[in-house]
Amino acid sequence: MAATPWLLLLCLAAAGGGVLQARAQPDSKGFISIDCGLQGDTGRTDNVTKLAYVPDNGEYTDDAGTCHNISAVYITPFMHRSWYNVRSFAAGARNCYTLRSLVPGLKYLVRASFMYGNYDGLNRPPGFDLHVGVNYWHPVKISRPDEAKYVEVIVVVPDDFVQICLINTGAGTPFISGLSLRPLKKTMYPQVTTAQGLVLLNRFNFGPTKNELIRYPDDQYDRLWFPWVNPVLWTEMSTTRKVQNMANDFFEVPPAVLQTAITPWNNGSQIQFSWDPQPQPNDPSPAYFAIMHFTELQLLPSNAMREFYINLNGELWHRDAVTPEYLYSRPSFNTFAARKSQYNITINATARSTLPPIINALEVFSVLPTTNLGTDVGDVSAIMEIRAKYQVRTNWIGDPCGPGTVMVWDSLTCSYPIASPPRITRVDLSSRSLNGGISISFANLKVVQYLNLSNNNLVGAVPDALSGLTSLTVLDLSGNQISGSIPYGLLIKVHDGSLDLRYDNIQDLCTNGSSCQPVKRKSKLAMYIAIPAVVMVMIIVAGVIFCFMRRGRKGSMNNSANPRRELMTSYASGTDVYMDNSLQLENRRFTYEDLQVITNNFQKVLGQGGFGKVYNGFLEDATQVAVKLLSHSSIQGVNEFLAEMESTWHLSMSTCQKEPCKNILKEQNIMVDVYPGNRGSGSHLNLRKD
Ligand SMILES: *[C@@H]1O[C@H](CO)[C@@H](O)[C@H](O)[C@H]1NC(C)=O
Ligand SMILES: *[C@@H]1O[C@H](CO)[C@@H](O)[C@H](O)[C@H]1NC(C)=O
Ligand SMILES: *[C@@H]1O[C@H](CO)[C@@H](O)[C@H](O)[C@H]1NC(C)=O
Ligand SMILES: *[C@@H]1O[C@H](CO)[C@@H](O)[C@H](O)[C@H]1NC(C)=O
Ligand SMILES: *[C@@H]1O[C@H](CO)[C@@H](O)[C@H](O)[C@H]1NC(C)=O
Ligand SMILES: *[C@@H]1O[C@H](CO)[C@@H](O)[C@H](O)[C@H]1NC(C)=O
Ligand SMILES: *[C@@H]1O[C@H](CO)[C@@H](O)[C@H](O)[C@H]1NC(C)=O
C-alpha cells in the first residue's frame, strides 16, 4: 500500500535555542509534558488538565525523528488532542528523549503513550522496546491502529537527567504520541528503590460516578485512575463527603478516587479479581506488587461491622483482617513482590462481619530491575561535549556504554567494572572529518587509554590538559594540521615509554634530544615561569632552568644582578635531553615582588592556560619570559598545579629531587624554569637570541 503523502508531515522545528531551552526544564510543579510530533514551537494547553504540553522538536530528541499526524480516519470527536500526532524514528537502532533538570535520587513517574493511527499510511502497527535510562522498561506491541496504549513506570532517577529510549527491534518503525514525567515524594511507593522500579499493569478507580479518567488536577501527581464500572457484578457506593489520606500515607490517593467504591452485588460476600503475569523479554516471570485502597464510605451503626480477609490464590495474604476506617484511606500492599504463575485475589468477609467487603481503588505493578548503571557521569558529560563540538552523528544517542556491549556508541570502547559505572577506555575518531581544535573535553575522559584522532582536519595546539590522562597509552594525532608543540607532560610519558604518541606536521616538536633540530635550538628558547597563587596566602613558585648554548650565551644571566641567584651544580642526563653537551644551567629564585617587576605588574596577558593566565614579562637583561599564574578560579586544582611543577623539576633538574622541591615550595621561594620548545598551548613566548 502506498503511503498517503498528505499525512506525512515533516517537522519544521527551527525554533530559537533559547526558547526551547526554557521548555526543556520541568514546569513549576516539576512536570514535563511532551506532545510528541506536535508542530510549531508554541505548544498547547490541555483543556482537560490545563497542563502545558510542549512540542518535542529540538533538544529533547537531538533533532532525531519526524513528525506525523495520525490518519483522520482514527480521529474521533472526543479523542484527546495528544493522540493526534506522533514522532517516528525511522533511522537508528536507538532513539532517546532526554529529560533534564531533574533532582538526582528522587522518584519519578514516567508515562509514555502510543496510538499508531496509521500515521504512515502503511497500515502496519509496529512493535518495539522501551528503555528507561540503561534499563529495559517494556515492550510496546501495537495490535490495532486505534489502540491507545500507556506505559508507565515509577523509578528513582540517579542523575539530573533521564533518557527514555525507543529501541528498534526489527518489527517496524518506533513512534511515540506523548511523554510525561511527574516527580513523586521520596516516601511514596516504598517498593521503588534505586535497584527496582515499578511498571504499571493497572490502576483502577472502582465505582466511579462518571465513566471518566481521574488525573491532574484531582491527582496532584497526575496518575491516571482508570474507571472500573460493572453494575452487573458489583454494587457501587459513593460519598460526597471529604475522604482523607492517613498521615504519612505512601500513596496519596486523590479524594475523588476514594469517594467511590464497590461491594459485591446482592450482598455477596466476596470480591474477586485476577491477572496473569505478563512475560517480559528481560524477565519471563515477573514479580508483582498489588496495592489496594480501602475506605469506609458509610457511617455504620454500632451493631454493624465490615471486616474482611485478603487472599492470594486461596491463601491468606495478610494475616490480619481489614476493617476500613470511615472516610480515611487505608492501603494494603505487599512489601515483598510475589512471583506466581497466576494471581487470584479474593477479598472475603470474615464470619463475624455483618457487611460485605469493599474496595475503592487498586494498583498492580510488576517489578522492574534497575540495576544496570549508566556510564560514569564525568565521562558522559565529556563525550557529550565532544559530540556537540564535532557534530558527531551516527549512533551517538543514549548512554555511551550501554546497556550491554550491543548499544555502545560506535568508535568507543568501555570497561564495565563490577558494581560501578562503565567507563570509556578507547576513543577512535580517526577519519571522521573532525574540524577545529582538539577538544579539552578529551582530557575529562579520565581513564581513556587509547585516543585516535588521526586523519581529520584538526588544527591548533595539543591541549596541555591531555598530560593529566594517567591511563593514556596511545595518542594518534597524525594526519591533522596541528601546530604548536607536544605538551611537556606528554613528553615525559613518551620518554618513559608509557605513551605511544603519533603525530606529524607539528612544529617545534622536541620529543627527544636527538630529534631537536640544531637550527631550532639556535634560534629558539622558550622561557617559562610558573607561579601558583594559592588563595589567601600567596605562595609563589616558579622554576627556571636556563639552558642556552655555551657559545656566546653563558654571560647574559651571569651578568644579571639578582642577589638571590644560585647556581645549580649539574644537570646530568637532562643535558642530553635538551641540548648538546655544552648546556649550562642556572637556577634562580624570584619573589612575588620580582615577578611583579618582571611582568610590569601582570599587565600583558599572553594567553589562558589550563591553570590560569600566562603573562608577558622581561628579565633584567631584556630576556622575554612567560609567567604562568595559577588562578583561584582555575578548573584544575592547586594540587595538580604543584604536581605539574614537581614533575617539571623532576625532569628538568636531576639534582632537584621531589622532597627538596616541595621544601622550596613551602619556603615560598621562586624558581624559573626554562626549556626549549614551545610549551603546549602556544601561550608562551619563544625567545630569540642572536
Ligand atoms: C496536522 O495536524 C495539525 C493540527 O491539527 C493541523 O494544523 C495540520 O493541518 C495537520 N496536517 C495535515 C497534513 O493534516
Ligand atoms: C477543548 O478545546 C477545543 C478547542 O480548543 C474545543 O473544541 C473542545 O470542546 C474542548 N474540550 C473540552 C472538553 O473542553
Ligand atoms: C444487603 O444487606 C443489608 C443489611 O443486611 C440489607 O439492608 C439489604 O437489603 C441487603 N441488600 C440486598 C440486595 O439483599
Ligand atoms: C484462579 O482462579 C481461576 C478461576 O477461578 C482458577 O481456574 C485457577 O485455578 C486459579 N488459580 C490459582 C493459582 O489459584
Ligand atoms: C475467607 O478466607 C479465609 C482464608 O482463605 C478462610 O479461612 C475463610 O474461611 C474465608 N471466609 C469465608 C467466610 O469464606
Ligand atoms: C588510528 O586509526 C587509523 C585509521 O583507522 C589507523 O590506521 C591507525 O593505525 C590508528 N592508530 C593507532 C595508534 O592505532
Ligand atoms: C631518544 O633519544 C635516545 C638517546 O638520544 C635514543 O636512544 C632514543 O631511541 C630516542 N627515542 C626516540 C623515540 O627517538
Side-chain angles (χ1 to χ4, degrees):
M1 193 186 301
T4 47
W6 54 274
L7 284 176
L8 305 178
L9 264 197
L10 211 66
C11 279
L12 304 169
V19 180
L20 288 171
Q21 197 56 46
R23 278 206 209 100
Q25 318 289 326
D27 67 12
S28 59
K29 296 176 292 298
F31 287 13
I32 295 177
S33 313
I34 304 173
D35 186 344
C36 302
L38 183 65
Q39 284 136 53
D41 50 44
T42 49
R44 62 174 178 84
T45 302
D46 190 273
N47 60 5
V48 178
T49 61
K50 307 289 180 240
L51 292 171
Y53 279 74
V54 298
D56 57 355
N57 44 32
E59 82 280 25
Y60 282 122
T61 60
D62 247 319
D63 293 321
T66 49
C67 301
H68 307 268
N69 284 356
I70 64 164
S71 162
V73 174
Y74 296 104
I75 295 182
T76 56
F78 299 106
M79 197 163 108
H80 201 255
R81 273 289 304 276
S82 65
W83 303 115
Y84 281 25
N85 35 258
V86 304
R87 178 174 290 269
S88 74
F89 299 94
R94 169 169 64 172
N95 282 281
C96 300
Y97 281 76
T98 307
L99 309 179
R100 297 187 173 85
S101 301
L102 310 188
V103 180
L106 199 62
K107 281 173 195 168
Y108 286 91
L109 181 156
V110 181
R111 181 167 55 237
S113 53
F114 307 89
M115 185 188 282
Y116 169 62
N118 197 21
Y119 75 86
D120 54 2
L122 300 174
N123 251 317
R124 237 180 297 162
F128 48 92
D129 284 347
L130 286 180
H131 286 187
V132 52
V134 287
N135 289 285
Y136 185 91
W137 174 6
H138 208 269
V140 178
K141 176 79 197 87
I142 310 292
S143 44
R144 299 187 327 267
D146 62 342
E147 182 186 14
K149 207 179 184 71
Y150 286 106
V151 181
E152 183 193 299
V153 69
I154 300 174
V155 283
V156 173
V157 172
D159 302 311
D160 65 354
F161 68 93
V162 67
Q163 290 189 312
I164 306 302
C165 302
L166 290 82
I167 313 295
N168 191 326
T169 54
T173 300
F175 75 93
I176 184 167
S177 305
L179 184 60
S180 302
L181 173 132
R182 314 287 182 233
L184 302 178
K185 283 186 192 147
K186 271 190 173 165
T187 49
M188 290 174 75
Y189 294 95
Q191 299 94 336
V192 177
T193 64
T194 50
Q196 76 178 25
L198 293 181
V199 174
L200 185 68
L201 182 71
N202 271 316
R203 180 182 287 122
F204 285 127
N205 171 27
F206 289 117
T209 46
K210 280 186 284 184
N211 193 4
E212 278 174 12
L213 207 60
I214 289 183
R215 60 179 301 183
Y216 188 86
D218 290 318
D219 186 334
Q220 61 166 315
Y221 303 102
D222 193 29
R223 286 164 292 189
L224 305 184
W225 297 87
F226 290 89
W228 205 104
V229 198
N230 193 335
V232 177
L233 281 176
W234 315 110
T235 302
E236 284 158 15
M237 196 191 276
S238 69
T239 180
T240 51
R241 305 189 69 133
K242 192 167 173 236
V243 181
Q244 292 175 35
N245 288 295
M246 298 289 207
N248 308 319
D249 184 80
F250 291 128
F251 305 103
E252 302 195 23
V253 180
V257 169
L258 295 171
Q259 278 170 333
T260 63
I262 53 167
T263 62
W265 186 71
N266 203 14
N267 283 351
S269 63
Q270 288 192 343
I271 295 173
Q272 284 186 348
F273 52 90
S274 66
W275 70 91
D276 291 329
Q278 304 202 323
Q280 303 292 306
N282 64 329
D283 188 352
S285 158
Y288 283 86
F289 284 107
I291 304 162
M292 290 164 250
H293 305 281
F294 301 108
T295 302
E296 182 56 75
L297 301 180
Q298 294 175 330
L299 189 56
L300 303 182
S302 56
N303 61 346
M305 176 184 235
R306 195 193 304 278
E307 191 184 55
F308 48 82
Y309 287 112
I310 301 168
N311 305 285
L312 171 62
N313 293 344
E315 283 173 25
L316 261 186
W317 197 26
H318 291 277
R319 197 181 29 138
D320 300 324
V322 177
T323 299
E325 230 179 296
Y326 183 54
L327 301 184
Y328 270 95
S329 105
R330 172 184 164 148
S332 183
F333 56 92
N334 48 335
T335 37
F336 296 100
R339 203 184 283 272
K340 307 279 180 192
S341 60
Q342 198 181 20
Y343 299 82
N344 288 347
I345 301 267
T346 307
I347 303 173
N348 69 348
T350 63
R352 60 177 181 160
S353 178
T354 63
L355 292 168
I358 188 177
I359 185 167
N360 307 62
L362 167 73
E363 295 172 272
V364 179
F365 295 96
S366 62
V367 172
L368 177 77
T370 53
T371 43
N372 288 347
L373 295 173
T375 304
D376 176 80
V377 286
D379 282 4
V380 170
S381 59
I383 202 76
M384 292 298 270
E385 279 168 29
I386 290 163
R387 184 182 75 152
K389 180 174 168 77
Y390 300 115
Q391 299 285 305
V392 182
R393 289 296 172 197
T394 73
N395 75 344
W396 283 32
I397 292 168
D399 189 85
C401 293
T405 47
V406 186
M407 292 279 175
V408 182
W409 290 4
D410 63 25
S411 315
L412 301 187
T413 307
C414 301
S415 66
Y416 301 89
I418 293 161
S420 63
R423 303 298 304 258
I424 296 169
T425 53
R426 286 170 65 94
V427 179
D428 183 353
L429 285 173
S430 59
S431 310
R432 298 288 290 262
S433 308
L434 309 186
N435 292 305
I438 298 177
S439 171
I440 193 93
S441 298
F442 285 113
N444 292 328
L445 297 171
K446 292 292 182 201
V447 301
V448 74
Q449 297 160 7
Y450 176 97
L451 188 51
N452 191 340
L453 302 177
S454 66
N455 301 315
N456 287 299
N457 309 315
L458 297 172
V459 296
V462 182
D464 220 350
L466 291 181
S467 313
L469 293 173
T470 50
S471 307
L472 191 66
T473 56
V474 175
L475 177 58
D476 193 340
L477 302 172
S478 56
N480 288 292
Q481 288 82 53
I482 293 164
S483 55
S485 69
I486 296 296
Y488 207 56
L490 291 179
L491 290 187
I492 297 170
K493 294 176 190 213
V494 172
H495 278 293
D496 67 21
S498 64
L499 177 66
D500 174 4
L501 177 63
R502 304 192 190 175
Y503 55 87
D504 50 32
N505 253 346
I506 296 177
Q507 302 298 307
D508 295 352
L509 190 69
C510 190
T511 53
N512 201 344
S514 52
S515 68
C516 283
Q517 295 307 304
V519 60
K520 283 182 183 162
R521 274 186 282 141
K522 270 183 188 153
S523 61
K524 287 186 178 179
L525 278 178
M527 270 196 172
Y528 180 71
I529 307 174
I531 308 162
V534 182
V535 198
M536 303 289 285
V537 195
M538 298 286 269
I539 302 170
I540 313 300
V541 182
V544 166
I545 304 158
F546 269 85
C547 47
F548 46 91
M549 306 299 289
R550 174 180 281 163
R551 178 165 33 88
R553 294 283 170 274
K554 196 173 173 183
S556 56
M557 277 313 292
N558 284 348
N559 292 342
S560 72
N562 192 308
R564 293 182 202 84
R565 198 181 72 214
E566 293 168 9
L567 271 169
M568 295 295 287
T569 46
S570 76
Y571 194 41
S573 60
T575 308
D576 301 327
V577 174
Y578 293 134
M579 296 293 158
D580 53 22
N581 289 328
S582 60
L583 180 75
Q584 284 213 352
L585 290 175
E586 199 166 350
N587 183 11
R588 179 179 168 186
R589 295 179 178 196
F590 294 84
T591 62
Y592 186 65
E593 286 72 27
D594 290 338
L595 291 165
Q596 279 181 308
V597 172
I598 289 169
T599 60
N600 198 8
N601 214 6
F602 301 103
Q603 224 174 23
K604 189 175 170 200
V605 178
L606 291 175
Q608 177 89 37
F611 289 110
K613 290 199 171 83
V614 183
Y615 297 89
N616 187 31
F618 293 92
L619 300 182
E620 300 90 326
D621 64 347
T623 306
Q624 202 169 9
V625 293
V627 177
K628 190 177 193 178
L629 184 68
L630 177 66
S631 113
H632 296 178
S633 60
S634 161
I635 349 161
Q636 301 178 39
V638 173
N639 287 339
E640 286 91 324
F641 187 83
L642 295 181
E644 186 194 52
M645 297 291 293
E646 283 183 32
S647 67
T648 303
W649 287 335
H650 187 66
L651 187 90
S652 54
M653 296 185 299
S654 56
T655 49
C656 176
Q657 301 304 321
K658 285 219 162 182
E659 283 314 306
C661 286
K662 265 192 193 149
N663 293 337
I664 293 169
L665 290 171
K666 283 196 191 119
E667 286 162 27
Q668 306 184 14
N669 284 319
I670 290 160
M671 299 169 73
V672 180
D673 175 7
V674 178
Y675 52 87
N678 185 333
R679 191 186 171 102
S681 61
S683 54
H684 314 289
L685 278 193
N686 285 326
L687 303 183
R688 273 176 200 284
K689 287 192 176 188
D690 303 299

